[in-house]
């Protein structure tokens, strides 16, 4: 394995730069290398972060080339094109496929022992591409999946029920996108069944309330993008949580995206499912109990991902 004290970040737009900042102040790394097509942007982001490192723990943040990724234990890929007006999702995917192909090829020349963490969107499809392009074992190519969506769910449920979101145990799974689903059947508040907890707090008909919360989670990015152009703080903190599990070899359960082989009747695509995450990336994908309706919705989500992948020939 590579040096888990050294991390690379490819692409320092809003998301990549926020991830770099969040990780630089986390104390997880002693060295971070920022790589971007715009070298001046990477240099400026590195300088800006370094100026605040004195308030955190020592971490050298520097701009560099792909060759400077040598020895990295973890490489985060946040590079990708933004959607142009009138451009279809397939056309955007085609452009991002070309970008990713170039990025992964160069990363593999320098840091073949690294765990790859894909953050660029659409994250599930790009994680599939990165897995194929890198030739790495499935577990070492992971996407941010539905980790942020799950955090949004915990926050909104906690707000509605008057409880700390960290005590909400529930997952969003499937595509990081419109076909994702909430797993209500096994959701609980510190061991208390969610429906029971709702009734305890005066929510006598939980179903419409929970569905409205799910819709708010699914569509959360749209008003943020409308208001400020992009989402980046939430994903920055989600990436920190995933990275922490990898660097500290935590064996934590997080709904990251990885290559699915046979779980829930799904095979050969990447989706966000609860997984044990440690030093080698995804160590195992968990088959958490799903209701028949939830299973059908997950398989529908998988079918949409399969169609996209087939259309772009990945």
């Amino acid at each position: 394995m590579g040096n888990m004290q050294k991390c690379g970040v490819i692409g320092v737009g809003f998301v990549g730069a926020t991830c770099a900042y969040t990780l630089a102040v986390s104390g997880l790394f002693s060295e971070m290398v920022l790589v971007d097509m715009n070298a001046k942007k990477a240099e400026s982001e590195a300088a800006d972060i370094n100026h605040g490192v004195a308030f955190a723990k020592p971490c050298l943040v520097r701009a560099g080339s792909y060759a400077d990724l040598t020895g990295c234990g973890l490489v985060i890929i946040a590079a990708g094109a933004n959607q142009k007006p009138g451009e279809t999702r397939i056309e955007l995917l085609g452009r991002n496929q070309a970008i990713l192909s170039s990025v992964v090829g160069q990363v593999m020349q320098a840091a073949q022992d690294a765990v790859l963490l894909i953050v660029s969107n659409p994250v599930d499809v790009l994680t599939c591409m990165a897995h194929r392009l890198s030739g790495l074992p499935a577990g070492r190519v992971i996407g941010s999946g539905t980790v942020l969506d799950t955090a949004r769910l915990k926050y909104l449920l906690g707000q509605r029920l008057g409880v700390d979101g960290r005590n909400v145990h529930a997952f969003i799974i499937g595509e990081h996108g419109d076909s994702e689903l909430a797993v209500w059947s096994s959701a609980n508040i510190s061991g208390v069944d969610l429906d029971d907890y709702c009734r305890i707090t005066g929510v006598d008909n939980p179903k419409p309330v929970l569905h409205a919360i799910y819709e708010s989670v699914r569509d959360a990015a749209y008003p943020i993008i409308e208001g400020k152009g992009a989402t980046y703080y939430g994903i920055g903190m989600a990436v920190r949580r995933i990275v922490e599990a990898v660097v500290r070899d935590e064996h934590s359960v997080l709904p990251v995206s990885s290559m699915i082989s046979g779980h829930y009747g799904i095979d050969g695509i990447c989706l966000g499912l609860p997984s044990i995450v440690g030093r080698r990336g995804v160590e195992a994908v968990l088959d958490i109990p799903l209701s028949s309706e939830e299973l059908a919705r997950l398989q529908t989500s998988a079918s949409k991902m399969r169609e996209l992948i087939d259309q772009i020939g990945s």
Side-chain angles (χ1 to χ4, degrees):
M1 297 298 291
N3 176 11
M4 280 298 176
Q5 290 295 301
K6 182 178 179 182
C7 174
V9 179
I10 315 297
V12 289
F14 280 127
V15 171
T18 305
C19 289
Y21 164 74
T22 307
L23 293 173
V25 300
S26 70
L28 290 167
F29 298 107
S30 58
E31 182 180 1
M32 291 184 64
V33 180
L34 310 186
V35 180
D36 196 278
M37 286 180 64
N38 183 343
K40 187 168 283 189
K41 175 78 157 64
E43 288 165 7
S44 298
E45 294 290 0
D48 197 9
I49 294 169
N50 276 325
H51 296 162
V53 166
F55 302 115
K57 293 182 180 178
C59 179
L60 173 63
V61 184
R62 61 189 178 98
S65 66
Y66 284 94
D68 294 310
L69 299 174
T70 300
C72 279
L74 181 76
V75 175
I76 296 163
I77 298 178
N82 293 320
Q83 199 159 3
K84 295 178 180 177
E87 185 177 37
T88 67
R89 196 179 186 197
I90 298 301
E91 289 167 341
L92 174 64
L93 269 173
R95 289 200 295 135
N96 274 337
Q97 183 179 26
I99 292 168
L100 192 73
S101 178
S102 170
V103 167
V104 171
Q106 293 179 87
V107 169
M108 285 298 94
Q109 287 180 17
Q112 61 269 25
D113 294 326
V115 171
L116 298 188
L117 173 54
I118 314 302
V119 184
S120 308
N121 276 321
V123 69
D124 303 291
V125 177
L126 295 183
T127 302
C128 286
M129 290 182 191
H131 172 256
R132 178 179 57 81
L133 291 165
S134 68
L136 291 174
R140 278 177 51 202
V141 182
I142 61 181
S144 52
T146 51
V147 173
L148 175 56
D149 312 82
T150 294
R152 288 168 171 160
L153 180 68
K154 291 183 176 190
Y155 167 74
L156 290 174
L157 264 176
Q159 290 288 298
R160 180 63 180 82
L161 299 177
V163 65
D164 185 340
R166 292 174 298 179
N167 296 127
V168 175
H169 303 291
F171 287 108
I172 296 285
I173 64 172
E175 174 202 13
H176 172 59
D178 293 342
S179 70
E180 66 188 27
L181 63 137
V183 182
W184 297 127
S185 61
S186 59
N188 66 86
I189 310 294
S190 287
V192 179
D193 180 81
L194 180 58
D195 283 349
D196 291 340
Y197 196 94
C198 285
R199 294 187 181 96
I200 290 168
T201 56
V203 182
D204 294 325
N205 185 14
K207 193 167 184 178
V209 173
L210 297 179
H211 186 69
I213 288 174
Y214 156 72
E215 288 184 328
S216 295
V217 169
R218 182 195 63 198
D219 302 334
Y222 300 130
I224 296 173
I225 292 169
E226 184 180 347
K228 60 178 245 179
T231 68
Y232 37 91
Y233 294 130
I235 188 61
M237 288 188 277
V239 165
R240 171 179 168 162
R241 180 66 195 97
I242 298 165
V243 169
E244 196 172 42
V246 173
V247 172
R248 293 182 173 167
D249 200 20
E250 289 183 345
H251 314 293
S252 292
V253 176
L254 296 167
V256 295
S257 185
S258 67
M259 185 58 67
I260 306 303
S261 300
H263 299 272
Y264 303 106
I266 299 165
D267 200 63
I269 62 168
C270 295
L271 282 176
L273 289 174
S275 306
I276 298 174
V277 181
R279 180 64 57 88
R280 297 183 180 275
V282 169
E283 297 171 353
V285 176
L286 304 181
D287 290 275
I288 64 171
L290 301 178
S291 68
S292 56
E293 180 187 352
E294 289 163 351
L295 177 59
R297 289 188 63 195
L298 177 62
Q299 290 173 339
T300 298
S301 185
S303 296
K304 291 184 177 180
M305 288 297 95
R306 170 63 67 196
E307 287 172 18
L308 271 177
I309 290 166
D310 289 346
Q311 280 179 280
I312 58 176
S314 175

